[in-house]
């Protein structure tokens, strides 16, 4: 007698949908359908942008290490109206100009999350906020301890605090992990909150010599921007020139120019009025996000990730306290901080982990969040401004720390890939071909009627096949 079939412990059946009353106290539960669709669209664009970002980073490394003279010549080439204080290098334009587009999108994302997304409900917001805060505080502490023990500079404490969502999603795309929607949404929301605190760090700690005249002009421009939005004025030919003026004034004020992008993003309306399929903020984000993910951030990477991997640049990463602090902050600090913050939410609230997931999944995502690229590179340049050697070594540390985190996360996620695929397939299943996943239609009578028709059709087909098989078996020459 053959042994009874033993179910695969890795691939458990997906639990049926839980009532809405339970969802409020479950971490990483199924997203509401509108939120799921928004997250899917946002992540799709970020994933493509992440792959482009990865290509740009590799191109920068190859260019800087094979034709370093031309790389530095192009990066330091100046252009722009000097009379307006904007005669900047190419690398400077990429960091202060193009990244303003990235932070504009971050501002819109944050506004949407606050008014229509996960952050609008304080109970739902507790998880990503706690995870993001711990995921920034612990890396800063790890860096500080490492540099204090090693006698290094504390200037780079903020470098390992940022998570790069595009690079993290590119890693997911490369390793082919069908991460459940709830974990992907957590990663996206975590990155949004992370970006908010990174913006505050840049504004508070990396602003010197403020020109109140220019800052006042930028504030007036932002007020005008807000008034025009609320008055319903339309037309890119109005807002784009105004945005450029605000950006230029903010740059000349001494406050980092990317703050202008965030401020304008936060001013957009992200709630839908009756009859609207998209709010103005969602519409503009949909238009600008590909520009940010596919052009602005990759170009920044091209002119910021060109680390010279010669001499002591690599060897010094694990011997200098500043660079070692960055690596440990990204790989250890981020993982411990985000995982610990998530655990604390379950410890001090009534929330429970989704029974379809395990704490190993939270740990893997926390490790993935250790990929700090775009904002980490920017903060590294600001923290060690004027010290080109240290900037080069800090950038090397960011790249190496992000690579280690990516490899570590890839291994952990691959160990659970079969479980993720089962969850993902259950989330995407659409047997009635209505365009809506079946898991969202369990309370719709019409869905069950459609499924009844489908099953009746299949049953009729199987009865016909059974009759044909029976008729064939009764023929004289049929096998006994």
């Amino acid at each position: 007698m053959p042994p009874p079939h033993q179910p695969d412990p890795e691939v458990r059946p997906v639990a049926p949908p839980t009532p809405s009353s339970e969802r409020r106290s479950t971490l990483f539960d199924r997203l509401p359908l509108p939120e799921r669709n928004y997250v899917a669209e946002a992540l799709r664009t970020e994933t493509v942008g992440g792959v482009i970002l990865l290509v740009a980073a590799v191109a920068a490394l190859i260019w800087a290490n094979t034709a370093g003279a031309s790389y530095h010549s192009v990066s330091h080439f100046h252009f722009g109206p000097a009379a307006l204080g904007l005669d900047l290098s190419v690398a400077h334009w990429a960091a202060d100009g193009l990244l303003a587009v990235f932070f504009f999108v971050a501002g819109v994302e944050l506004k949407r999350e606050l008014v229509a997304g996960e952050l609008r409900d304080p109970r739902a917001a507790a998880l990503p906020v706690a995870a993001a805060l711990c995921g920034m505080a612990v890396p800063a502490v790890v860096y500080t301890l490492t540099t204090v023990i090693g006698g290094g500079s504390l200037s780079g404490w903020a470098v390992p605090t940022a998570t790069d969502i595009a690079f993290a999603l590119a890693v997911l795309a490369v390793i082919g992990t069908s991460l459940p929607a709830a974990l992907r949404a957590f990663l996206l929301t975590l990155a949004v909150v992370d970006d908010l605190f990174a913006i505050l760090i840049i504004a508070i700690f990396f602003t010197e010599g403020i020109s109140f005249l220019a800052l006042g002009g930028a504030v007036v421009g932002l007020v005008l921007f807000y008034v025009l939005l609320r008055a319903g004025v339309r037309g890119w030919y109005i807002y784009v020139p105004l945005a450029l003026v605000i950006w230029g004034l903010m740059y000349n004020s001494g406050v980092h120019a990317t703050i202008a992008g965030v401020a304008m993003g936060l001013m957009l309306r992200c709630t839908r009025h009756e009859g609207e399929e998209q709010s103005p903020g969602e519409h503009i984000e949909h238009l600008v996000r590909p520009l940010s993910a596919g052009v602005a951030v990759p170009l920044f990477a091209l002119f910021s990730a060109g680390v010279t991997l010669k001499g002591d640049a690599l060897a010094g990463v694990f011997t200098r306290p500043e660079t070692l602090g960055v690596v440990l902050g990204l790989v250890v600090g981020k993982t411990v901080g985000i995982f610990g913050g998530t655990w604390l939410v379950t410890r001090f609230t009534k929330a429970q982990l989704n029974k379809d997931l395990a704490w190993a999944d939270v740990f893997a995502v926390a490790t993935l969040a250790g990929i700090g690229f775009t904002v980490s590179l920017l903060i590294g340049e600001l923290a060690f401004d004027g010290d080109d050697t240290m900037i080069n070594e800090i950038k090397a540390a960011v790249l190496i720390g992000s690579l280690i985190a990516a490899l570590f996360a890839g291994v952990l996620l691959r160990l659970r890939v079969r479980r993720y695929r089962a969850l993902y397939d259950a989330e995407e299943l659409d047997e009635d071909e209505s365009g809506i996943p079946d898991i969202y239609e369990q309370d719709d009578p019409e869905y069950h009627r459609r499924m009844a028709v489908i099953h009746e059709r299949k049953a009729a087909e199987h009865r016909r096949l059974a009759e044909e098989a029976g008729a064939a078996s009764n023929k004289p020459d049929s096998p006994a």
Side-chain angles (χ1 to χ4, degrees), residues 396-468:
V398 170
L399 294 175
I400 291 173
S402 297
L403 178 60
I404 294 173
L407 292 174
F408 193 19
V411 171
L412 294 176
L413 291 169
R414 290 297 295 179
L415 292 175
R416 296 274 292 168
V417 68
R418 294 171 66 187
R419 179 61 184 157
Y420 296 152
R421 283 176 180 164
L423 289 169
Y424 182 81
D425 290 343
E427 291 173 351
E428 297 297 318
L429 184 64
D430 183 18
E431 281 192 287
D432 64 337
E433 299 181 348
S434 65
I436 299 174
D438 295 344
I439 199 169
Y440 288 97
E441 297 186 296
Q442 298 303 308
D443 296 330
D444 183 4
E446 291 303 317
Y447 161 76
H448 293 287
R449 293 190 183 97
R450 290 193 297 270
M451 290 304 301
V453 172
I454 292 172
H455 287 304
E456 288 167 1
R457 189 183 304 123
K458 289 181 178 179
E461 178 63 16
H462 281 293
R463 284 193 291 269
R464 184 186 66 78
L465 293 174
E467 291 173 358
E468 291 180 358

Side-chain angles (χ1 to χ4, degrees), residues 32 35 111-125:
E35 185 70 9
K111 178 66 174 292
R112 186 196 170 277
E113 290 291 339
L114 288 170
V115 301
E118 289 293 299
L119 300 181
R120 73 185 185 281
D121 181 355
R123 288 170 296 183

Side-chain angles (χ1 to χ4, degrees), residues 5 12 15 34 80 115 123 146 150 176 194 197 204 239-240 255 258 284 300 302 324 379 408 417 463 477:
H5 173 69
R12 304 191 302 271
V115 301
R123 288 170 296 183
T146 305
D194 193 292
F197 290 111
I204 296 170
Y239 290 103
V240 171
V255 177
T258 54
I284 293 173
F300 167 76
L302 181 63
L324 181 60
I379 293 177
F408 193 19
V417 68
R463 284 193 291 269
D477 58 346

Side-chain angles (χ1 to χ4, degrees), residues 190-274:
L190 177 76
V192 170
V193 179
D194 193 292
D195 286 339
L196 168 64
F197 290 111
I199 292 159
L200 293 175
I201 288 172
I202 291 171
I204 296 170
F205 295 99
F206 299 104
T207 296
E208 297 179 359
I210 295 179
S211 168
F212 289 99
L213 180 61
L215 183 60
V219 171
V220 171
L222 288 170
V223 171
L224 179 59
F225 189 88
Y226 179 84
V227 170
L228 291 173
L229 286 173
R230 293 302 176 267
V233 176
R234 297 176 178 269
W236 65 267
Y237 46 85
I238 295 175
Y239 290 103
V240 171
L242 179 58
L244 291 174
V245 171
I246 294 170
W247 175 86
L249 289 168
M250 189 70 75
Y251 175 83
N252 281 285
S253 73
V255 177
H256 200 271
T258 54
I259 304 301
V262 178
M264 286 183 280
L266 287 170
M267 289 181 180
L268 296 179
R269 176 170 63 81
C270 292
T271 52
R272 300 179 186 180
H273 290 169
E274 186 176 355

Side-chain angles (χ1 to χ4, degrees), residues 20 23-24 28-40 112 116-118 120-121 124 181-182 185 436-437 439-440:
S20 59
R23 283 205 297 269
R24 288 195 293 267
F28 309 115
D29 200 8
R30 177 165 49 92
L31 299 173
L33 184 59
E35 185 70 9
R36 171 195 175 275
N37 293 337
Y38 169 81
V39 169
R112 186 196 170 277
E118 289 293 299
R120 73 185 185 281
D121 181 355
I436 299 174
I439 199 169
Y440 288 97

